């Protein structure tokens, strides 16, 4: 089967119809052309995304800042900043339900740890809010399907924080591949090779003052407070635990694989996954692995691999000065978050977060290329535009689910013994492992359970 026919077949078979928010999505404050936002999760990334969306136009305001840690330094700074800009101070709350219950709020930014993303998004949609949810959008494949169902049912815009979906270089890479100039696509390599060090366990402690630990745990099981799981001043180590995240694979590799999917025409679920790896670099005792080497097979199409780990200090992400350059490209061999797309005629290097792309022939001859800047600003603009014009967001929830599923498939493969797992894209279940099927859905703690019926 030709690559383009394969992509079309897979997209129809697994992705289904596109989510189409209705024109009824116009904000309640449309008469004044005002959009009222609130933030759930006031860490550095959340505050950055909120600031970026507010900067899109002068008629966007912030009503709430919500976090379970009331001691975060950025909260006061943000309240002062928005108070001066909009003439009234945003309210701080530790309870996201207060935000959802306020009918003045049109949209929320959800920038919590990953284990809260799905439930917070569903609650927001049920309350009639549009949602910008950070990656990785889900903690399991079942959660992804629930998020898709909720977005479809309530007809609101959901923008997943896979910002490369608003990058011009992503669209031109997709068009270039579709044109056939690379030839037939046979193999795709995704890299997420970062620096790191040995993970060291710490003892449980009492809950720090100012933190609602029960609310931070939310859907996850009740455990004592531990500094390895949470930090009062920074991001913390929650990605090292299966209850809260998917390790390096969900943190950075999710961006890389999502960009690869977009460039390749957004295929649906792969037919099988195989991985090898583990804590083999530093022999750490953490739950999520230090390294994974993954192979995804789409059947009569291309194969895709992903190499993801935290032990290569000689690799680096696209540097800041290149991310915001429209002419400079990264040094591909040591770019830690790159994609290599191998066709029968040419090779394409593609880099996330402003890396752009170059196409090469023999002897390093560059025959085509496209470069643009880090696409956060475009992704924020697209979110606001989708709300105001009633159109789908670039990072729609269905594609977010399919990209996040690549993370979940590989992590399940690792957790069940690095076996090859075969996956049915229609039922979203494994056909050769009941142990793997048991990991398709998490275990939830009342009253924070993700609902069966959204």
């Amino acid at each position: 089967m030709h690559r383009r026919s394969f992509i079309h077949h897979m997209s129809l078979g697994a992705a289904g119809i596109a989510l189409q928010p209705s024109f009824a999505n116009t904000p309640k404050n449309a008469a004044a052309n005002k959009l009222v936002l609130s933030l759930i999760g006031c860490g550095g990334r959340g505050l950055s995304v909120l600031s970026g969306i507010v900067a899109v136009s002068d008629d966007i305001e912030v009503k709430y800042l919500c976090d379970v840690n009331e001691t975060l330094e950025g909260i006061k700074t943000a309240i002062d900043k928005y108070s001066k800009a909009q003439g009234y101070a945003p309210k701080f709350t530790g309870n996201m339900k207060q935000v959802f219950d306020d009918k003045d709020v049109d949209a929320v930014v959800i920038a919590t740890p990953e284990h809260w993303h799905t439930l917070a998004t569903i609650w927001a949609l049920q309350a009639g809010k549009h949602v910008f949810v950070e990656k990785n959008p889900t903690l399991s494949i079942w959660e992804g399907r629930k998020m898709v169902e909720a977005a479809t049912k309530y007809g609101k815009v959901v923008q997943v924080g896979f910002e490369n979906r608003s990058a011009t270089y992503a669209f031109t890479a997709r068009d270039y591949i579709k044109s056939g100039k690379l030839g037939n696509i046979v193999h795709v390599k995704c890299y997420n090779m970062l620096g790191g060090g040995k993970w060291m366990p710490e003892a449980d402690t009492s809950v720090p003052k100012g933190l609602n630990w029960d609310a931070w745990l939310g859907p996850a099981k009740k455990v004592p407070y531990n500094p390895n799981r949470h930090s009062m001043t920074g991001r913390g180590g929650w990605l090292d635990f299966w209850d809260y995240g998917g390790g390096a694979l969900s943190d950075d590799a999710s961006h890389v694989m999502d960009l690869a999917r977009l460039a390749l025409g957004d295929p649906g679920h792969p037919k099988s996954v195989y991985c090898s790896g583990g804590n083999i670099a530093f022999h750490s005792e953490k739950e999520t692995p230090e390294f994974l080497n993954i192979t995804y097979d789409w059947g009569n199409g291309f194969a895709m691999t992903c190499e993801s780990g935290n032990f290569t200090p000689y690799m680096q992400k696209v540097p800041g000065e290149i991310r915001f350059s429209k002419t400079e490209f990264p040094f591909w061999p040591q770019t830690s978050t790159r994609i290599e797309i191998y066709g029968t005629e040419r090779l394409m290097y593609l880099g996330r977060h402003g890396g752009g792309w170059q196409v090469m022939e023999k002897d390093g001859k560059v025959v085509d290329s496209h470069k643009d800047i880090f696409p956060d600003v475009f992704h924020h603009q697209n979110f606001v535009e989708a709300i105001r014009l009633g159109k789908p967001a670039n990072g729609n929830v269905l594609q977010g689910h399919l990209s996040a599923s690549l993370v979940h498939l590989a992590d399940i493969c690792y957790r069940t013994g690095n076996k090859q797992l075969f996956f049915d894209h229609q039922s979203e279940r494994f056909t050769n492992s009941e142990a793997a099927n048991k990991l398709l859905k998490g275990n939830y703690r009342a009253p924070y359970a993700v609902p069966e019926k959204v």
Side-chain angles (χ1 to χ4, degrees):
M1 186 183 293
H2 191 275
R3 190 206 68 83
R4 273 173 279 180
S5 298
F6 164 75
I7 291 295
H8 176 72
H9 169 75
M10 291 299 294
S11 295
L12 290 179
I17 61 172
L19 299 177
Q20 296 286 345
S22 71
F23 282 91
N25 285 344
T26 305
K28 294 177 288 297
N29 298 297
N33 201 33
K34 182 171 66 173
L35 182 66
V36 178
L37 294 180
S38 292
L39 173 63
I40 313 294
C42 299
R45 180 59 184 168
L47 290 169
S48 175
V49 171
L50 180 69
S51 178
I53 296 173
V54 171
V56 169
S57 67
D58 293 333
D59 47 13
I60 301 177
E61 297 179 358
V62 179
K63 188 163 185 182
Y64 291 95
L65 299 174
C66 177
D67 202 284
V68 297
N69 179 4
E70 64 183 36
T71 72
L72 288 172
E73 291 184 4
I75 294 172
K76 184 181 184 306
T77 302
I79 289 175
D80 291 342
K81 169 186 172 181
Y82 294 115
S83 177
K84 294 175 183 177
Q86 62 195 30
Y88 71 91
K91 301 175 183 178
F92 173 77
T93 179
N95 183 1
M96 68 178 73
K97 285 292 189 75
Q98 181 181 352
V99 179
F100 301 146
D101 289 343
D102 191 326
K103 297 187 183 302
D104 286 342
V105 176
D106 299 301
V108 295
V109 174
I110 297 171
T112 62
E114 290 169 10
H115 67 294
W116 257 111
H117 285 176
T118 297
L119 183 57
T121 296
I122 291 173
W123 280 352
L125 290 169
Q126 290 173 335
K129 316 303 182 190
H130 305 285
V131 178
F132 187 109
V133 58
E134 264 301 290
K135 60 82 193 165
N136 204 18
T138 58
L139 199 61
S140 70
I141 292 173
W142 180 84
E143 285 189 359
R145 185 50 54 188
K146 294 294 111 176
M147 195 181 283
V148 170
E149 290 175 6
T152 303
K153 179 176 181 179
Y154 296 102
K156 295 298 178 181
V157 171
V158 178
Q159 177 86 298
V160 177
F162 285 136
E163 58 265 28
N164 291 285
R165 287 193 168 263
S166 293
T168 59
Y169 54 80
F171 305 140
T172 57
R174 178 186 61 193
D175 293 344
Y176 192 93
I177 293 168
K178 186 178 180 180
S179 74
K181 293 179 181 179
L182 293 184
N184 290 328
I185 305 303
V186 178
H187 186 48
V188 180
K189 293 184 177 182
C190 298
Y191 291 90
N192 181 52
M193 302 296 287
L194 307 169
K198 185 176 178 64
W199 182 91
M200 299 298 293
E202 296 189 50
D204 295 338
T205 69
S206 58
V207 178
K209 185 178 180 180
L211 174 68
N212 185 337
W213 180 235
D214 183 77
W216 187 92
L217 289 170
K221 64 177 177 287
K222 186 75 171 179
V223 294
Y225 181 85
N226 189 284
N228 280 129
R229 299 173 186 265
H230 176 269
S231 168
M232 291 294 287
T233 58
R235 187 181 192 187
W238 51 266
L239 275 162
D240 298 325
F241 297 86
W242 295 123
D243 281 346
Y244 320 123
L249 205 61
S250 67
D251 188 25
D252 280 294
S254 60
H255 280 300
V256 181
M257 292 192 289
D258 177 69
L259 175 57
R261 285 191 61 252
L262 189 157
L264 294 162
D266 280 326
H269 292 303
K271 295 182 67 174
S272 73
V273 58
Y274 170 80
C275 75
S276 61
N279 292 335
I280 55 179
F282 307 108
H283 304 289
S284 299
E285 297 176 18
K286 67 174 183 173
E287 293 179 359
T288 58
E290 294 168 343
F291 176 71
L292 282 180
N293 187 341
I294 309 148
T295 300
Y296 302 95
D297 181 12
W298 271 269
N300 293 325
F302 57 87
M304 186 173 87
T305 62
C306 179
E307 297 172 24
S308 176
N310 295 90
F311 66 93
T312 51
Y314 41 86
M315 308 288 284
Q316 67 171 342
K317 298 180 183 180
V318 177
E321 62 271 19
I322 295 179
R323 288 188 183 203
F324 291 95
S325 168
K326 291 194 173 185
T327 58
E328 298 298 317
F329 291 91
F331 177 63
W332 295 113
Q334 287 181 282
T335 297
S336 59
T337 51
R338 73 184 187 273
I339 303 163
E340 298 173 1
I341 302 173
Y342 291 83
T344 53
E345 301 294 328
R346 296 183 175 96
L347 162 67
M348 174 183 282
Y349 285 104
L350 173 62
R352 56 160 237 185
H353 289 21
W357 58 266
Q358 290 180 297
V359 171
M360 296 185 178
E361 294 181 342
K362 289 182 179 180
D363 303 318
K365 180 184 177 183
V366 177
V367 292
D368 284 297
S369 65
H370 181 227
K371 185 70 171 62
D372 206 342
I373 65 170
F374 182 72
D376 255 10
V377 60
F378 308 130
H379 211 46
H380 300 153
Q381 291 169 348
N382 176 255
F383 178 55
V384 174
E385 183 180 65
I387 293 172
R388 288 187 163 153
L389 299 182
K391 68 177 189 176
N394 288 342
N396 73 76
V397 66
L398 179 58
Q399 295 306 329
H401 164 55
L402 293 170
S403 292
S405 291
L406 295 179
V407 171
H408 305 321
L409 289 169
D411 281 339
I412 290 172
C413 192
Y414 169 73
R415 295 174 71 181
T416 53
N418 297 342
K419 298 177 181 178
Q420 185 176 19
L421 298 176
F422 293 92
F423 194 67
D424 179 74
H425 70 266
Q426 292 183 326
S427 65
E428 294 189 323
R429 290 182 63 81
F430 297 100
T431 61
N432 67 327
S433 174
E434 281 308 306
N437 282 328
K438 290 178 181 178
L439 296 176
L440 289 170
K441 177 184 177 182
N443 297 310
Y444 303 105
R445 185 172 65 98
Y448 305 105
V450 176
E452 289 277 353
K453 185 177 181 179
V454 299

